């Protein structure tokens, strides 16, 4: 289950830190994360395994925007180039290779 915490960066209101460190897996551990900012995601109705190449494995679950693929880093810093509303999608993969569904958050960035 991805849990996203969005943090401000002191002195730069156009930058945000996306923190997924509180994400969890009830029967194992979270191993990887994917973040898509202002792009599109592949919709699927239930969690999928990474080896299921017909759905949305690592690096192929989203397109467009800024897509951080299959990282073990639980924090990512992003500098927005435009003010206004932005959509951030996140998902995580457990130790068995099972990707969660995509979850999204709408944020507003201003100078």
């Amino acid at each position: 289950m991805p849990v996203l915490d969005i943090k401000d960066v002191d002195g730069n209101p156009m930058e945000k830190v996306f923190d997924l460190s509180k994400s969890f897996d009830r029967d194992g551990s979270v191993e990887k994360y994917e973040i898509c900012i202002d792009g599109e995601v592949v919709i699927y109705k239930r969690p999928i395994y990474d080896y299921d190449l017909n759905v949305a494995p690592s690096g192929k679950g989203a397109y467009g925007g800024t897509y951080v693929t299959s990282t073990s880093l639980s924090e990512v810093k992003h500098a927005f180039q435009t003010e206004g509303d932005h959509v951030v999608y996140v998902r995580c993969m457990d130790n068995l290779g099972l990707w969660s569904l995509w979850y999204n958050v709408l944020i507003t960035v201003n100078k």
Side-chain angles (χ1 to χ4, degrees):
M1 172 66 66
V3 177
L4 177 62
D5 185 23
I6 301 172
K7 301 175 184 176
D8 293 328
V9 174
D10 289 338
N12 193 346
M14 296 294 285
E15 277 189 277
K16 303 294 179 192
V17 174
F18 300 113
D19 180 358
L20 288 157
S21 63
K22 294 179 184 170
S23 299
F24 62 93
D25 179 44
R26 288 191 176 105
D27 62 353
S29 59
V30 175
E31 300 294 321
K32 294 183 181 179
Y33 309 90
E34 289 198 336
I35 301 170
C36 181
I37 303 162
D38 293 331
E40 302 292 329
V41 297
V42 175
I43 302 297
Y44 44 92
K45 298 185 187 282
R46 58 181 174 72
I48 55 153
Y49 284 98
D50 193 52
Y51 56 76
D52 187 351
L53 301 178
N54 295 319
V55 184
S58 298
K60 296 188 179 182
Y63 54 94
T66 300
Y67 184 21
V68 178
T69 63
S70 194
T71 181
S72 59
L73 299 174
S74 62
E75 282 193 359
V76 173
K77 185 187 285 187
H78 179 74
F80 288 93
Q81 302 303 303
T82 59
E83 292 184 85
D85 294 336
H86 298 274
V87 180
V88 179
Y89 295 92
V90 295
R91 71 177 183 167
C92 55
M93 188 181 78
D94 71 5
N95 57 301
L96 300 175
L98 188 64
W99 282 107
S100 70
L101 297 175
W102 283 104
Y103 292 88
N104 65 5
V105 175
L106 179 67
I107 66 169
T108 302
V109 178
N110 295 308
K111 288 185 180 179

